[in-house]
Amino acid sequence: MYDVAIIGCGVIGSSIAYRLSGFDLKTVVLEKENDVAMGATRANSAIVHAGYDPAEGTLMAKLNVRSVDLTKELCEKLSVPYAQIGSLVLAFSDEESAHVQRLYDRGVANGVPGLKILSYSEAKAIEPNIADNVTSALYAPTAAVINPWEYALALAETAVVNGVELRLESPVDAIVKTDAGYAVTAGGETIEAKYVINAAGTEAGLIHDMVLPHTFDILPNKGEYYLLDKSEGTRAKHVVFQCPSKVGKGVLVSPTVHGNLIVGPNAVDCAAGDTSTSADDLAFVRKMAAKSIPSVDFRQNIRNFAGVRPNSTIDDFIIEAHDGFFDVAGIKSPGLASAAGIAEYVENLMRENGVALEKKADAVDTREQIRFKEMSHEERAELVKKDPTFGRVICRCETITEGEIVDAIRRPIVPRTVDAIKRRCCAGMGRCQGGFCGPRVVEILARELGCSRQDIDKDKTGSYIVRERED
Amino acid sequence: MYDLAVIGGGPAGLAAAYSAYEKGLRNIVILERDKELGGILNQCIHNGFGLHRFKEELSGPEYAHRYIEMVQDTSVEVKLDTMVIEITPDKKIFINSPKGYECIEAKSIVLSMGCRERTRGAISIPGTRPSGVFTAGAAQRYLNMEGLMAGKRVVILGSGDIGLIMARRMTLEGAKVLACVEVMPYSGGLTRNIVQCLNDFDIPLYLSHTVTDIRGDKRLEGLTVMKVDENRRPIPGTEMEFECDTLLLSVGLIPENELTRGAGIEMDPRTNGAYVFENMETSIEGVFACGNVVHVHDLVDFVSDESARAGAAAADYVQNGAVKGDVIRLQNGADVGYTVPQKIHRDTAAEKIDIFFRVRSVFGKSQVIVSSGDTEIQVFKRPYMAPGEMQHIVIAADKLKGFDTITVTAKEA
């Protein structure tokens, strides 16, 4: 009998698992994919929004603003890449300048610190590549960029260190109310838990409907992106947004925490799990980005991708308790930015609903990560002397050593795929996109996991890479 | 302190090191990140190498072996499993290997890091992102080095030489190669490879076509190919569907110049390589570059020649100091994409100067004109020129003496 079963191990499930792992609870996380952070968490703009966008009085506004500091603190503790670079919302007309003013007022009402409205020349001074027809801009110094999947991984990994059980490839098929709580059938096994937390992202509507009357729909909505080479990484210095308009919420241009440039997203309704890109949509993204920063060089593109937002029919996050079943659903933008606050909110909601939360004495709340590339010459020399596997560079583009890959494999949440390695230590994330290091990563994975190279998948289960040669 | 550090032990690095040794340098080191010398040649097990350089037809590993043996008989030191992390403008080299992370110094440096393949992202192919999409070189490595097949039903995008070679190789290994698809109206590879790798195996080549959609949630399941117009835009109504588990990309190569940029060496946006003089010197005195890190070659034989010049020039630099004096700049005329070298030492260049370039479109009977302003310096006749085949002219240094800039132009005869 578990105390808590969390369904879904994206950034929301991970944040809640991390938070609850500090208490004396027996917790299990049920994730349908073969790794954590496989949904919206791994494909988004990777931004900790400042919090001026959500309407005053909403949970989104409250939790986003609350999470700005919490996220920063967590990233420090868990060694997650984070950079507070600030954001700009550009206006291109008097009408849009009025909208920027409204965003400013809303931000002030939401409690966002440090907001400023800049003239064109003030904006140009801090963001030199913006278009000439910018009329004004909202500057939010507390906005940050982050590595979202490493954030979720770090949270989940630390939760596992604290005794939380993570079951991968365990899609939930049924949930039945019992006298003691709930019986949850996932991946062919049924477990019992006193409390169930629904953090299932785009599937949260289906999970809700297994237990409760239908009250909301999840409306999956796709955003497509360009990720440009580091040679374009300084094209923008801040997260550069546009005002939302009739043709969409606006495309952003931003440096990533890794030093690349991210451009996107558009917004189109789609089926859950549809992360395909289309030529027309990508052309739209290019056109919109050029409006903010005309000089973006799309020839430096290294990857296109799409992520699916779990939008819903409710115009706010859906975080509610019903007899031991907790919905944490419809966590659309600013979901990543609000994750830390959502976990805190859920903890309080659990207390209010009579869940006993006793601090666990030996819980850890920090994590270390070795990053060879970021070390000084002296530190590198020391590290290689101690462990020669750090002397072999596997991913040339990102300078990732064999030692870092082996370290990732020996962590509490074992990566089994090439993309899982990429999410943990950035091997294959660079300009050659795994062309060189892919075969070597496959070899290291097979060696460390004691399987054959044919058993190694690229991403989802079944995405095999190579097959035996036939005689 | 080494006389010369050569970064990369592929065909370029080997030829440069050997040439510098022949010219009298003794304290030379080759820094190679792989566990053996030879570079990409080791996975190129097909023949066709060495026709110019050795007057016989060798496989890639055989060609590499010739040079490895030549270098082994010298005092050249080889550090394998050693990756250069950083080069500073004052020629300090930070290297990492299981033996240690350290800084070495050299009087001269030859950059010979080669190139990498362009990827799906570089050409933004829309669709899903399943496994089964490989660069041709990665599939070649799996097959020829590791004995593993990338897939069984294959479409190849791009008609660059590696893609063509892999069309034949995969067919011989029992895969069905359904098509080779090329966005341009002409092939990007050598004519001999079109004949020997596609035509001989009845593999259709679709010119002016491209892949417009990729399907499959886990492994690649299929893709759409469409004809493109003269602006390379897909033409609605021309869709062809292929059921396949593998897409190989042979869509161009990019010189691998992260170290070059890091050292602050001036780069040519046309080649994506360093600006070089006729002796392969870069914008930093005593730092030379050669092979595919400068510009992408079709034939390794020419890489060897170019690299021998770089190695000899490095030896000359160490023995006699930097080359000074006036500079002639080369410019691209009509229909010429780039030239290598981009600069010539006017007073000290060798008697004959090799100029390499690529044309921008296909030419029948044509002329290559070297001129300066209104003065025509020399005209070279060519029966045929195509972007897929690197062009080479040799001009006497004497003829260039009076000029500051010269222009290389291609035109139909």
Side-chain angles (χ1 to χ4, degrees):
Chain A
M1 182 78 172
Y2 292 94
D3 293 310
V4 183
I6 300 170
I7 301 171
C9 203
V11 74
I12 301 303
S14 301
S15 295
I16 296 169
Y18 173 80
R19 190 112 196 157
L20 295 186
S21 77
F23 299 107
D24 209 357
L25 292 172
K26 194 175 175 210
T27 303
V28 63
V29 184
L30 304 168
E31 166 56 48
K32 79 178 164 92
E33 301 291 348
N34 60 3
D35 197 9
V36 308
M38 290 288 279
T41 304
R42 74 166 180 180
N44 57 74
S45 306
I47 286 155
V48 182
H49 297 270
Y52 49 77
D53 200 40
E56 204 186 332
T58 59
L59 262 184
M60 292 194 293
K62 182 178 144 186
L63 297 178
N64 183 173
V65 175
R66 167 69 185 131
S67 297
V68 168
D69 290 338
L70 282 179
T71 310
K72 189 176 182 175
E73 202 179 297
L74 278 173
C75 288
E76 264 168 39
K77 278 188 186 170
L78 299 171
S79 182
V80 173
Y82 169 99
Q84 192 180 319
I85 59 173
S87 68
L88 289 169
V89 182
L90 304 182
F92 295 92
S93 64
D94 292 346
E95 196 186 320
E96 289 190 352
S97 282
H99 189 89
V100 157
Q101 179 64 48
R102 284 197 294 279
L103 288 177
Y104 174 87
D105 295 341
R106 196 192 286 166
V108 170
N110 288 349
V112 180
L115 291 175
K116 248 190 271 178
I117 292 181
L118 307 182
S119 67
Y120 164 71
S121 53
E122 286 168 331
K124 183 95 177 166
I126 61 165
E127 193 59 71
N129 292 323
I130 54 170
D132 297 339
N133 58 337
V134 167
T135 50
S136 67
L138 176 66
Y139 175 57
T142 54
V145 291
I146 187 177
N147 178 342
W149 54 87
E150 188 170 340
Y151 180 43
L153 265 160
L155 291 162
E157 192 178 295
T158 311
V160 170
V161 170
N162 286 333
V164 170
E165 184 183 338
L166 172 64
R167 294 194 185 188
L168 298 173
E169 299 193 85
S170 300
V172 171
D173 298 318
I175 307 173
V176 177
K177 182 83 183 88
T178 62
D179 292 342
Y182 294 89
V184 183
T185 305
E189 280 184 60
T190 300
I191 57 125
E192 288 198 71
K194 289 182 200 158
Y195 308 102
V196 171
I197 297 172
N198 172 18
T202 53
E203 317 280 328
L206 301 173
I207 299 293
H208 171 95
D209 292 353
M210 290 180 189
V211 179
L212 295 164
H214 184 85
T215 48
F216 62 88
D217 287 311
I218 296 290
L219 308 171
N221 184 274
K222 184 161 68 177
E224 292 158 75
Y225 293 87
Y226 280 86
L227 185 69
L228 275 58
D229 186 66
K230 289 181 178 170
S231 59
E232 282 292 297
T234 53
R235 190 67 66 182
K237 299 187 180 339
H238 306 82
V239 184
V240 179
F241 295 101
Q242 297 168 352
C243 287
S245 72
K246 288 165 214 117
V247 286
K249 206 180 164 189
V251 165
L252 67 87
V253 179
S254 174
T256 70
V257 77
H258 299 107
N260 299 81
L261 192 78
I262 189 168
V263 180
N266 61 336
V268 287
D269 291 335
C270 66
D274 171 13
T275 56
S276 64
T277 57
S278 86
D280 289 347
D281 292 347
L282 291 173
F284 170 82
V285 168
R286 283 199 307 276
K287 195 179 109 194
M288 293 301 286
K291 194 179 151 192
S292 296
I293 300 191
S295 54
V296 172
D297 181 3
F298 284 97
R299 285 172 306 177
Q300 300 302 318
N301 185 43
I302 62 172
R303 188 173 181 83
N304 294 107
F305 66 90
V308 180
R309 309 170 178 94
N311 290 355
S312 79
T313 41
I314 311 289
D315 206 11
D316 201 352
F317 296 152
I318 304 162
I319 309 180
E320 289 164 6
H322 316 268
D323 197 12
F325 180 90
F326 296 82
D327 270 323
V328 189
I331 311 298
K332 56 205 167 188
S333 179
L336 171 66
S338 308
I342 288 172
E344 184 187 59
Y345 186 85
V346 169
E347 179 193 320
N348 291 331
L349 193 62
M350 291 173 81
R351 279 185 212 282
E352 284 165 24
N353 282 272
V355 182
L357 298 176
E358 302 286 333
K359 277 272 177 208
K360 192 154 60 186
D362 56 348
V364 298
D365 62 353
T366 58
R367 182 194 79 131
E368 301 292 329
Q369 175 86 340
I370 303 165
R371 292 180 220 278
F372 180 85
K373 187 166 61 170
E374 290 171 14
M375 291 178 164
S376 68
H377 293 307
E378 293 73 24
E379 288 169 335
R380 288 171 183 169
E382 194 62 30
L383 181 64
V384 176
K385 210 165 152 189
K386 215 169 70 189
D387 182 347
T389 60
F390 288 94
R392 184 171 293 130
V393 174
I394 301 295
C395 168
R396 298 160 178 182
C397 300
E398 298 293 311
T399 322
I400 308 300
T401 61
E402 183 168 1
E404 288 162 278
I405 294 171
V406 171
D407 176 66
I409 298 172
R410 294 179 182 169
R411 293 248 173 181
I413 302 174
V414 179
R416 301 196 156 268
T417 67
V418 172
D419 282 3
I421 291 291
K422 177 161 88 172
R423 282 191 291 277
R424 280 158 180 81
C425 57
C426 296
M429 245 183 67
R431 47 180 69 92
C432 94
Q433 287 287 293
F436 269 120
C437 68
R440 289 155 181 92
V441 170
V442 168
E443 194 183 321
I444 294 169
L445 267 170
R447 183 187 78 204
E448 293 292 316
L449 298 176
C451 62
S452 82
R453 287 167 296 177
Q454 294 93 299
D455 296 332
I456 302 296
D457 285 330
K458 177 185 173 287
D459 183 13
K460 289 183 189 167
T461 301
S463 62
Y464 69 91
I465 299 170
V466 283
R467 282 286 176 252
E468 202 74 58
R469 241 172 111 196
E470 281 163 31
D471 293 326
Chain B
M1 168 86 76
Y2 289 99
D3 287 333
L4 168 63
V6 177
I7 321 271
L14 287 166
Y18 184 71
S19 159
Y21 177 83
E22 271 193 314
K23 296 287 179 185
L25 291 193
R26 288 295 173 266
N27 195 5
I28 300 171
V29 64
I30 298 177
L31 305 166
E32 167 54 45
R33 53 195 169 191
D34 223 319
K35 290 175 185 171
E36 54 191 350
L37 291 171
I40 209 72
L41 285 175
N42 291 331
Q43 69 182 53
C44 299
I45 63 169
H46 51 282
N47 58 0
F49 299 89
L51 286 166
H52 297 261
R53 176 66 183 77
F54 295 111
K55 309 290 175 222
E56 59 184 304
E57 200 168 29
L58 305 171
S59 71
E62 284 173 326
Y63 188 98
H65 193 66
R66 296 265 170 121
Y67 271 95
I68 293 169
E69 281 198 321
M70 283 153 66
V71 166
Q72 266 167 357
D73 292 339
T74 69
S75 62
V76 172
E77 181 187 342
V78 177
K79 286 183 188 287
L80 297 174
D81 210 357
T82 299
M83 170 104 179
V84 175
I85 303 290
E86 186 186 338
I87 301 171
T88 65
D90 58 345
K91 305 190 190 74
K92 286 193 174 64
I93 303 167
F94 291 90
I95 61 172
N96 193 27
S97 89
K99 289 181 184 158
Y101 184 90
E102 57 180 314
C103 177
I104 62 171
E105 290 183 73
K107 291 176 193 162
S108 67
I109 295 175
V110 168
L111 303 171
S112 48
M113 293 87 74
C115 59
R116 63 166 182 272
E117 297 176 279
R118 292 178 81 215
T119 63
R120 176 179 175 182
I123 53 171
S124 280
I125 309 173
T128 59
R129 286 171 300 288
S131 66
V133 180
F134 299 84
T135 59
Q140 187 181 47
R141 184 192 158 88
Y142 273 124
L143 185 51
N144 294 346
M145 306 289 280
E146 306 194 19
L148 294 167
M149 280 291 271
K152 289 184 173 163
R153 286 177 65 83
V154 184
V155 170
I156 295 175
L157 176 61
S159 58
D161 289 311
I162 315 166
L164 300 174
I165 294 291
M166 282 307 288
R168 176 175 64 185
R169 185 80 185 98
M170 296 290 280
T171 305
L172 292 173
E173 285 292 329
K176 176 73 184 163
V177 179
L178 303 167
C180 179
V181 176
E182 168 62 56
V183 73
M184 301 303 284
Y186 47 81
S187 159
L190 297 171
T191 306
R192 75 174 194 211
N193 284 333
I194 297 282
V195 174
Q196 295 171 8
C197 300
L198 296 184
N199 300 355
D200 288 358
F201 295 91
D202 295 324
I203 298 167
L205 171 62
Y206 295 99
L207 296 174
S208 298
H209 281 70
T210 195
V211 174
T212 56
D213 191 29
I214 286 177
R215 288 185 298 280
D217 182 34
K218 294 162 182 168
R219 178 73 187 196
L220 178 64
E221 289 166 11
L223 45 80
T224 307
V225 169
M226 289 170 79
K227 193 171 175 28
V228 297
D229 64 19
E230 56 276 16
N231 297 315
R232 282 181 263 165
R233 278 192 298 257
I235 302 168
T238 62
E239 291 84 354
M240 289 190 285
E241 304 297 330
F242 289 92
E243 262 180 53
C244 56
D245 59 22
T246 304
L247 172 64
L248 298 189
L249 302 175
S250 175
V251 292
L253 300 166
I254 305 172
E256 208 175 320
N257 274 300
E258 283 65 50
L259 292 172
T260 320
R261 286 195 189 90
I265 289 169
E266 254 180 81
M267 302 292 296
D268 184 344
R270 294 164 297 191
T271 54
N272 286 311
Y275 282 107
V276 288
F277 286 94
E278 83 292 341
N279 64 348
M280 306 313 289
E281 191 169 32
T282 68
S283 64
I284 296 183
E285 277 182 5
V287 179
F288 303 82
C290 56
N292 283 353
V293 81
V294 177
H295 60 134
V296 176
H297 295 63
D298 311 322
L299 297 175
V300 69
D301 306 65
F302 291 132
V303 168
S304 297
D305 287 349
E306 181 177 290
S307 303
R309 273 189 283 127
D316 184 53
Y317 171 82
V318 172
Q319 290 155 348
N320 305 313
V323 176
K324 306 278 184 195
D326 291 339
V327 173
I328 306 170
R329 290 174 193 282
L330 275 76
Q331 295 178 333
N332 307 337
D335 277 315
V336 169
Y338 74 81
T339 66
V340 166
Q342 296 90 342
K343 293 182 276 188
I344 294 169
H345 292 110
R346 186 158 67 188
D347 306 322
T348 54
E351 273 172 44
K352 287 195 156 88
I353 297 167
D354 292 279
I355 297 172
F356 297 90
F357 62 96
R358 281 182 197 270
V359 289
R360 288 218 171 105
S361 52
V362 177
F363 287 84
K365 259 179 105 174
S366 49
Q367 291 183 329
V368 178
I369 300 155
V370 179
S371 60
S372 182
D374 295 335
T375 316
E376 205 169 83
I377 300 169
Q378 195 166 347
V379 178
F380 302 82
K381 286 182 182 162
R382 289 287 180 276
Y384 173 79
M385 293 195 290
E389 307 200 358
M390 194 168 79
Q391 304 298 317
H392 176 207
I393 53 175
V394 182
I395 193 158
D398 284 353
K399 296 193 173 178
L400 305 179
K401 286 284 183 218
F403 304 106
D404 295 328
T405 60
I406 60 170
T407 305
V408 180
T409 307
K411 72 173 203 195
E412 290 278 347

